[in-house]
Amino acid sequence: MNAEPIKIAILAMGGEGGGVLADWIVGLGEANGYFAQTTSVPGVAQRTGATIYYVELFPGANDGAHRAPVLALMPMPGDVDIVLASELMEAGRAVQRGIVTADRTTLIASSHRVYSIAEKSAMGDGRVDSSVLVGETGRAAKQFVHFDMAEVAERTGSVISAVLFGALCAAEVLPFDRGQFEATIEQGGIGVKRSLKAFDAGYTHANQRVAEAAPKKAAGESAAVHVSPRHPAVASLVERARRLPGDASGIAIEGVRRMIDYQDVAYAGLYLDRLEALASTPRANNAELLAETARHLALWMSYEDTIRVADLKTRDSRFERVQGEVRAKADQLLEINEFMHPRVEEIAETLPVSLGRWLLRPHAVHRFAARLSRNGRVIRTSSIGGFLLLYSLARWRRWRRVTLRYALETERIETWLSRIRKLAATDISLALETAQCQRLVKGYGDTHARGLKNYETLMSVVDRHAASLKPVTLRELRDAALADEHGNALRACIERHALSDQEQARAQAQGQGQGQPS
């Protein structure tokens, strides 16, 4: 008889049935002659960490002469046989904690991602590369079974825990057969049919060792070939986009799609006009520069204003997604509360130019609007009144071109494109880095304001030092700005490279002093 317990760690987030999975494993063991014990260490809400459930199984429970063992309360690094993770990052954290080892541990994980707070709040693209996670966790484990269990759970109408249980059975790392696994689910008595369906799907996927699908091709690479719009105006735009060189063609087609969704066909035409103007500039028709400019121009032209926010919150797809996420039934009432907190600046920028500028001036109406917006509002979009309020604001997009925000963004975009064209004439690499600085301008409200401030600081450096600034230096400055939304890291980096106004004035003064006769 094996004198060592079977040690199993489960990492799962709230609502994924981690506790149910732990109970199933305990029930499976106890029903088949094993001592079993489970403990849990709660994680933190809002996706900063998962709850860790720890299970130990020890044989001999049916042997009356066998004394009950003393089992451990938590997993120890290098001493775990099986790790079950409900999400890919949690699998990576298990590896980081040392509870996954190449000589011992079978790791079973879902390959989908639920992004952490740190990933979502980063100024730039803070996402951890899923392919790197898969590679590193695969190398760290003795056996690695992974596929998109969230998709399987959604398709079968169950939760990930049942899919994980099926994958655990298929991995054949526990001394129990499939019938014993299924009997455990049936004994639970709740949601048996759906759980068994998800169990079967998980078992099948794990048996086939289906790995996560290859990363999706870069935007536009293959889609551009098959796009055949029926609307003649849209077809004309697609043909114009196809004439752009290299990867810019595919990205521009996706940009056209985004502009039409954001505004209208004419706006997509403006997007292509701007790209074609850059492509016709001497030396600026560099394939990489055009592709990056096409990508970032599409992002900038679809800036997030109050109109866009209202549009996204009143779409059918949003209501369907929320209903699916909470698994609301057709006969259940679903209430959706939207927390809206527009600043007085967002209110003013939604108005026509002259009226918006008037509201931003210091007077009684400005102070009243500021007080009104300070605490924000909760709007129930599942009610007729709340929905109509946001729907009416979303319909204002027909007049977006007369708003103050449109005028401001148009000026900023044209200045950015002009700067790229000018730099391309002398230094393509510096023009490319400048195009990528658009990454700083994103989001809504305070996030947008801070990003825009950092962007304008960077552009002032580019304008002052265009003749001597190295592309690698601008990249370092941009990375510093993305690392700290408040701009402290950027200011320190500018000072280190002596690129600030004060440093430049000091250097000029020193040069003049050295040139004077003694």
Side-chain angles (χ1 to χ4, degrees), residues 428-448:
I428 287 291
S429 296
L430 186 59
L432 178 61
E433 295 297 334
T434 300
Q436 293 173 338
C437 285
Q438 187 278 333
R439 293 174 59 194
L440 295 170
V441 185
K442 66 175 187 177
Y444 178 75
D446 292 334
T447 299
H448 176 268

Side-chain angles (χ1 to χ4, degrees), residues 476-517:
E476 183 182 346
L477 292 172
R478 186 178 68 244
D479 291 342
L482 289 169
D484 171 26
E485 64 178 9
H486 297 290
N488 297 324
L490 175 58
R491 286 190 292 272
C493 194
I494 290 174
E495 293 293 334
R496 187 168 66 253
H497 287 284
L499 296 173
S500 66
D501 289 335
Q502 293 83 357
E503 290 289 341
Q504 188 177 21
R506 191 179 298 114
Q508 290 175 349
Q510 290 176 350
Q512 292 172 357
Q514 291 173 357
Q516 295 175 354

Side-chain angles (χ1 to χ4, degrees), residues 136-154:
E136 292 300 320
T137 51
R139 282 187 287 273
K142 180 179 180 180
Q143 180 184 10
F144 185 30
V145 178
H146 66 287
F147 55 91
D148 190 344
M149 300 185 188
E151 185 277 330
V152 174
E154 183 70 23

Side-chain angles (χ1 to χ4, degrees), residues 259 262-271 301-303 401 406:
M259 295 305 102
Y262 180 81
Q263 185 63 35
D264 51 33
V265 172
Y267 198 58
L270 175 61
Y271 168 74
M301 288 182 65
S302 55
Y303 55 88
R401 292 178 178 86
Y406 181 87

Side-chain angles (χ1 to χ4, degrees), residues 348 351-361 363 404 407-408 411:
L351 300 173
V353 175
S354 57
L355 186 57
R357 293 191 188 280
W358 173 81
L359 182 58
L360 288 175
R361 296 176 191 148
H363 48 62
L404 175 59
L408 293 173
E411 182 180 357

Side-chain angles (χ1 to χ4, degrees), residues 20 33 53 90 142 157 161-162 194 229 233 243 261 375 385 443 455 480 485:
V20 173
Y53 302 89
E90 295 306 327
K142 180 179 180 180
S161 58
R194 289 184 177 182
R243 290 195 288 269
D261 176 73
N375 297 323
Y455 166 81
E485 64 178 9

Side-chain angles (χ1 to χ4, degrees), residues 267-288:
Y267 198 58
L270 175 61
Y271 168 74
L272 290 180
D273 290 343
R274 287 168 167 168
L275 284 180
E276 289 167 346
L278 178 63
S280 64
T281 303
R283 295 201 62 191
N285 59 352
N286 173 274
E288 186 178 6

